């Protein structure tokens, strides 16, 4: 029995030493300054493949359409608002790009319209973003709404994103926007 | 790289009506704050459990921790990042590349339960881990599974761990997160397949204690190794075991091993020879498994997106509808040379790491064989420290229960210390049982004197 006790004490010491050195090695690789990381879409890489709508673990995706007003042309014929090739510019649902009616517009002054996204309705499908990038200034873009995101250890969308646009970033730079480009 | 920003087809409007751009403020949740709350609670709860297990010897305190953990770590913090998954972050940081810096909080999540396991046994599993706590809370029955089946199944966590390391180190996937059956329950949503699996496991854990912990959890495997040499081991009772077998039925994870006195099946030389044989077999198993897994490394490497993409691009009969990834590859204008270079390096790291993963599996298998063939010397019911999750269920089942060793057992029996026994067991004449057991002990002490 004494031999057992001795062996066990040795084991304890070895394991303790192992844990301590593992902690040391990892500590040198850890970053206290940057702290936590968050998931972020790089709008410059996103191809609006549509997976952001379907792959997020939330029932309604944490990815939302963001609007960079500073970049927007305030056009009447908005590529993100109207479907491609609509005959009449009225707001009947069949003419509009957004499947959930999340985009509203407000007349500012001739000939400008201001566009706003209702985040509660947006499901991150990226249809408007595609329209805006193809026919407009590219002021609409998809981004992870950090207050909704659960910060999964591995983002389910990042895993399948066709362009590898979703990466971990330090909390300090959580949002990559287009406003100040 | 493709650039979709600022195609500026239309000039910036010059408003004349004094229009102001709306102020948009994107708020960031206090993620850093909450993750430090996580760490503080983690330490606090593990410390509390350690006290409840070793000092207070109270199951109720541990139960309270379980409830808090399920509510806070589970439903409030939605189960991410947990210590189980943190293995992968640690491996990813060790493997380097991609500029991944391990957040300090995740490092602590990984290390602290191991440190506590080395000091006090698996107090993390007792009730602090939301996954374990959830299974514990729904558990009512302990259907015992035969020892042979349990031993065989308890190899699965090691296989899982090896693959998790392989896939995390090659930056392919976090499979522990991908196949976490309980995170969906905590979030009340998510992947349907995993939700179904989670619910099935929950139903199973009503009848069998902690199926995930015992037969799947890779972190539990690590904790088990560490707590085998724990400074303070979990004890069923601080007094003399009277071999009444009552605790044996209570343990949800079958960690209580029965005494094996008198069952000498073979002579000493044969036993020693068998152990020696297995010890010789150990390196063979390790190398064999390493080579076996390495031979499959090309197939395994398909889990990496670049390798998969490359195979799709190079396939002789491409599907009619191109996968979105292939289209994206063309659209992004990524060069084929760059992709090829990436594929070569990924495959290379798969060859190296799959050998290590295989070696780990083979080594563990060998160690398990050696352990099974070691001679047993238990005279009383004992806790196997590596399987015991410190749940404290056995404490009150023991007729010798109690905190100190001062009060003699018969007196305690008269004082009615068994009031927290289940009805059925109380009626099964505990007193008589105790008397018999006492005689057993006295007899054995008697015999010892004569030897
Ligand atoms: S999955 Fe990637 S490419 Fe597809 S919409 Fe989301 S960020 Fe864009
Ligand atoms: S079109 Fe899709 S991405 Fe754009 S606002 Fe509507 S739901 Fe959101
Ligand atoms: S981290 Fe999770 S919640 Fe956030 S966008 Fe990705 S999948 Fe959705
Ligand atoms: S074995 Fe794994 S899942 Fe179970 S309680 Fe321990 S760490 Fe949690
Ligand atoms: S404390 Fe350990 S030995 Fe006792 S019932 Fe719980 S798991 Fe089993």
């Amino acid at each position: 029995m004494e031999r057992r006790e001795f062996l066990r004490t040795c084991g304890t010491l070895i394991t303790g030493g192992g844990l301590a050195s593992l902690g040391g090695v990892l500590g040198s690789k850890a970053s206290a300054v940057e702290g936590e990381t968050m998931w972020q879409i790089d709008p410059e890489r996103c191809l609006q493949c549509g997976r952001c709508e379907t792959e997020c673990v939330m029932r309604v995706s944490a990815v939302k359409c963001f609007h960079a007003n500073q970049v927007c042309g305030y056009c009447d014929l908005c590529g993100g608002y109207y479907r491609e090739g609509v005959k009449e510019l009225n707001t009947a649902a069949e003419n509009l790009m957004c499947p959930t009616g999340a985009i509203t517009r407000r007349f500012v002054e001739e000939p400008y319209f201001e566009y706003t996204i209702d985040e509660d309705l947006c499901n991150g499908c990226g249809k408007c973003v595609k329209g805006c990038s193809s026919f407009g200034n590219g002021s609409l873009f998809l981004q992870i709404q950090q207050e909704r995101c659960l910060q999964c250890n591995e983002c389910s969308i990042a895993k399948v994103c066709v362009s590898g646009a979703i990466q971990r970033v330090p909390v300090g730079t959580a949002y990559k926007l287009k406003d100040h480009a | 790289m493709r650039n979709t920003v600022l195609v500026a087809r239309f000039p910036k409007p010059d408003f004349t009506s004094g229009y102001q751009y709306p102020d948009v403020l994107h708020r960031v949740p206090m993620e850093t704050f909450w993750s430090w709350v996580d760490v503080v609670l983690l330490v606090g709860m593990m410390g509390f459990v350690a006290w409840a297990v070793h000092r207070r010897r109270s199951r109720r305190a541990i139960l309270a921790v379980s409830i808090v953990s399920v509510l806070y770590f589970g439903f409030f913090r939605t189960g991410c990042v947990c210590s189980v998954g943190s293995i992968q972050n640690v491996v990813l940081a060790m493997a380097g590349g991609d500029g991944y810096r391990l957040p300090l909080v995740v490092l602590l999540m990984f290390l602290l339960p191991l440190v506590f396991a080395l000091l006090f046994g698996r107090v993390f599993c007792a009730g602090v881990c939301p996954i374990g706590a959830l299974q514990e809370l729904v558990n009512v029955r302990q259907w015992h599974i035969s020892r042979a089946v349990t031993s065989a199944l308890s190899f699965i966590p090691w296989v899982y761990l090896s693959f998790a390391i392989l896939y995390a180190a090659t930056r392919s996937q976090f499979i522990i997160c991908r196949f976490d059956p309980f995170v969906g329950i905590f979030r009340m949503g998510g992947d349907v397949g995993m939700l179904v699996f989670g619910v099935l496991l929950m139903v199973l854990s009503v009848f069998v204690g902690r199926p995930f912990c015992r037969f799947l959890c890779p972190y539990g495997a690590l904790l088990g190794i560490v707590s085998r040499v724990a400074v303070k081991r979990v004890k069923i009772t601080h007094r003399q075991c009277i071999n009444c077998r009552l605790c044996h039925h209570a343990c949800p994870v079958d960690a209580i091993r029965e005494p094996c006195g008198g069952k000498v099946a073979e002579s000493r030389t044969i036993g020693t020879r068998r152990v020696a044989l297995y010890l010789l077999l150990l390196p063979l198993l390790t190398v064999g498994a390493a080579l076996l897994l390495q031979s499959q490394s090309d197939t395994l490497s398909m889990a990496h997106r670049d390798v998969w993409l490359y195979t799709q691009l190079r396939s002789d009969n491409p599907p009619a509808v191109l996968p979105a990834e292939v289209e994206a590859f063309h659209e992004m204008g990524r060069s084929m040379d760059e992709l090829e270079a990436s594929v070569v390096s990924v495959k290379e790291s798969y060859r190296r790491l799959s050998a290590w993963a295989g070696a780990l599996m083979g080594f563990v298998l060998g160690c398990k064989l050696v352990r099974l063939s070691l001679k047993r010397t238990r005279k009383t019911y004992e806790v196997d420290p590596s399987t015991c999750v410190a749940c404290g269920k056995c404490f009150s089942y023991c007729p010798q229960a109690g905190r100190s060793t001062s009060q003699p057992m018969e007196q305690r029996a008269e004082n009615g210390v068994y009031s927290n026994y289940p009805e059925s067991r109380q009626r099964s004449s505990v007193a008589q049982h105790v008397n018999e057991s006492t005689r057993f002990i006295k007899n054995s002490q008697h015999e010892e004197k004569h030897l």
Side-chain angles (χ1 to χ4, degrees):
Chain A
M1 220 56 217
E2 264 147 35
R3 194 183 48 154
R4 264 201 187 184
E5 287 300 314
F6 174 70
L7 284 179
R8 189 144 71 83
T9 315
C10 289
T12 311
L13 291 177
I14 292 170
T15 317
L19 277 183
S21 43
L22 183 66
V25 172
L26 288 171
S28 70
K29 294 194 185 279
S31 64
V33 197
E34 289 172 3
E36 286 289 277
T37 57
M38 287 181 152
W39 292 99
Q40 177 194 71
I41 296 180
D42 182 350
E44 295 179 30
R45 295 185 68 159
C46 170
L47 298 175
Q48 300 92 39
C49 68
R51 291 189 181 172
C52 270
E53 179 194 349
T54 52
E55 298 296 324
C56 179
V57 296
M58 310 256 298
R59 238 164 309 164
V60 179
S61 176
V63 172
K64 299 293 171 197
C65 175
F66 282 46
H67 189 202
N69 290 79
Q70 307 271 358
V71 181
C72 181
Y74 285 76
C75 335
D76 183 2
L77 180 56
C78 166
Y81 187 67
Y82 289 113
R83 268 190 211 175
E84 209 182 326
V86 284
K87 305 261 163 16
E88 288 165 72
L89 294 188
N90 67 36
T91 51
E94 69 270 17
N95 291 338
L96 300 185
M97 184 70 99
C98 179
T100 62
I103 311 180
T104 48
R105 70 173 189 170
R106 184 175 69 89
F107 176 70
V108 181
E109 62 181 61
E110 201 55 49
Y112 301 130
F113 284 86
E114 183 195 68
Y115 294 88
T116 316
I117 314 288
D118 183 345
E119 246 176 32
D120 289 329
L121 291 177
C122 175
N123 60 15
C125 71
K127 293 198 171 84
C128 60
V129 178
K130 204 163 204 124
C132 182
S133 317
S134 321
F135 305 107
N137 281 3
S139 60
L140 293 173
F141 60 98
L142 291 178
Q143 187 52 274
I144 296 174
Q145 169 43 280
Q146 302 291 7
E147 285 195 304
R148 292 174 192 256
C149 175
L150 298 174
Q151 303 303 340
C152 312
N153 197 10
E154 184 178 58
C155 173
S156 301
I157 317 174
K159 212 161 45 195
V160 293
C161 172
V162 293
S163 59
I166 306 184
Q167 302 285 347
R168 290 184 186 84
V169 296
V171 172
T173 52
Y175 287 104
K176 185 164 183 187
L177 304 173
K178 280 184 161 186
D179 287 74
H180 309 292
Chain B
M1 202 110 307
R2 204 182 68 126
N3 192 348
T4 50
V5 221
L6 290 193
V7 201
R9 295 189 178 87
F10 306 101
K12 215 169 164 161
D14 46 318
F15 298 110
T16 50
S17 60
Y19 170 82
Q20 293 289 316
Y21 285 109
D23 251 341
V24 197
L25 182 68
H26 299 296
R27 277 187 305 160
V28 182
M30 298 187 297
E31 196 54 34
T32 316
F33 168 76
W34 282 113
S35 41
W36 283 103
V37 174
D38 288 354
V39 172
V40 170
L41 270 178
L42 182 72
V43 173
M45 283 159 84
M46 284 195 297
F48 182 74
V49 171
W51 169 81
V53 168
H54 295 288
R55 272 292 169 78
R56 192 74 235 276
R57 306 196 53 75
S58 148
R59 160 84 188 142
R60 216 175 291 160
I62 300 169
L63 208 58
V65 171
S66 307
I67 294 170
V68 172
S69 163
V70 167
L71 291 180
Y72 177 78
F73 286 118
F75 288 104
F76 179 63
R77 298 286 290 149
T78 59
C80 237
V81 181
C82 72
S83 299
V84 183
S86 72
I87 299 173
Q88 303 161 114
N89 303 59
V90 165
V91 169
L92 183 60
M94 292 278 256
D98 270 8
Y100 179 69
R101 299 283 289 169
L102 185 68
L104 191 59
V105 168
V106 177
L107 170 61
L108 291 175
M109 282 278 200
F110 174 76
L111 272 185
L112 287 173
L114 288 170
V115 171
F116 270 78
L118 185 62
L119 297 175
F120 306 111
R122 291 167 69 172
V123 286
F124 174 71
C125 295
V128 188
C129 171
I131 302 174
L134 188 66
Q135 295 170 87
E136 190 70 59
L137 288 180
V138 297
N139 175 246
V140 284
R141 277 283 142 85
Q142 275 93 46
W143 288 356
H144 283 267
I145 308 170
S146 87
R147 181 73 75 220
V149 177
T150 326
S151 308
L153 288 182
S154 65
F155 183 54
I156 301 176
W158 289 102
V159 177
Y160 197 4
L161 177 67
S162 308
F163 278 107
I165 292 177
L166 174 64
Y167 285 131
T170 52
R171 273 162 261 130
S172 306
Q173 263 201 39
F174 276 13
I175 56 168
I176 299 179
C177 298
R178 170 80 181 75
F179 298 108
D180 182 342
F182 293 108
V183 78
I185 293 176
F186 290 138
R187 290 173 180 157
M188 296 184 263
D191 188 87
V192 180
M194 278 301 115
L195 265 177
V196 172
F197 182 40
V199 170
L200 284 180
L201 269 182
M202 290 273 282
V203 173
L204 186 64
S205 36
V206 174
F207 306 102
V208 180
R210 301 189 179 224
F212 180 84
C213 296
R214 285 200 280 170
F215 309 132
L216 282 170
C217 180
Y219 195 60
L222 291 180
L223 289 170
I225 288 290
V226 173
S227 56
R228 191 176 292 268
V229 291
V231 175
K232 259 177 115 54
R233 294 177 152 204
V234 176
K235 290 217 174 69
I236 307 167
T237 172
H238 283 335
R239 297 212 189 82
Q240 171 72 46
C241 169
I242 54 172
N243 286 333
C244 67
R245 204 184 153 78
L246 288 175
C247 57
H248 188 66
H249 303 293
C251 183
V253 294
D254 231 347
I256 299 178
R257 304 276 192 259
E258 58 280 344
C260 36
K263 275 195 275 176
V264 183
E266 55 187 6
S267 78
R268 203 187 164 89
T269 37
I270 297 183
T272 320
R273 237 183 256 161
R274 197 149 47 99
V275 173
L277 174 72
Y278 282 147
L279 278 177
L280 268 180
L281 216 58
L282 188 61
L284 283 182
L285 265 176
T286 313
V287 175
L291 291 177
L292 186 70
L293 205 66
Q294 189 173 37
S295 67
Q296 298 302 315
S297 78
D298 274 0
T299 326
L300 292 170
S301 70
M302 287 289 278
H304 193 281
R305 59 162 76 218
D306 277 357
V307 180
W308 184 84
L309 178 64
Y310 186 71
T311 338
Q312 292 294 313
L313 285 166
R314 276 293 142 95
S315 84
D316 295 329
N317 40 353
V321 185
L322 284 180
E325 283 85 352
V326 175
E327 275 178 28
F329 174 77
H330 294 308
E331 201 172 332
M332 305 246 317
R334 205 174 153 194
S335 86
M336 199 68 184
D337 289 344
E338 185 217 345
L339 182 67
E340 248 162 37
S342 152
V343 167
V344 168
S345 84
V346 168
K347 284 200 167 168
E348 170 53 34
S349 58
Y350 260 96
R351 251 188 299 284
R352 193 163 37 86
L353 288 159
S354 59
W356 281 107
L360 176 63
M361 286 189 242
F363 182 73
V364 171
L365 187 63
C367 288
K368 281 198 182 291
L369 284 179
V370 172
R371 247 188 85 72
L372 281 179
S373 60
L374 284 180
K375 196 166 150 281
R376 310 255 173 256
T377 51
R378 278 189 307 267
K379 294 214 174 57
T380 58
Y381 281 85
E382 266 175 33
V383 173
D384 171 16
S386 64
T387 358
C388 168
V389 290
C391 69
K393 274 192 179 163
C394 53
F395 298 169
S396 64
Y397 278 78
C398 181
Q400 296 280 74
R403 253 174 286 165
S404 69
T405 44
S406 56
Q407 208 177 12
M409 152 187 75
E410 288 89 348
Q411 192 185 328
R412 282 177 63 88
E414 281 155 23
N415 292 350
V417 260
Y418 309 119
S419 48
N420 49 357
Y421 255 44
E423 274 296 301
S424 56
R425 290 191 207 278
Q426 260 184 22
R427 252 182 265 122
S428 70
S429 61
V430 174
Q432 185 197 336
H433 210 106
V434 171
N435 283 339
E436 276 171 18
S437 320
T438 328
R439 217 175 302 132
F440 174 83
I441 289 185
K442 282 183 182 150
N443 286 346
S444 51
Q445 281 165 350
H446 193 66
E447 277 163 25
E448 261 165 41
K449 254 181 240 155
H450 281 272
L451 282 174

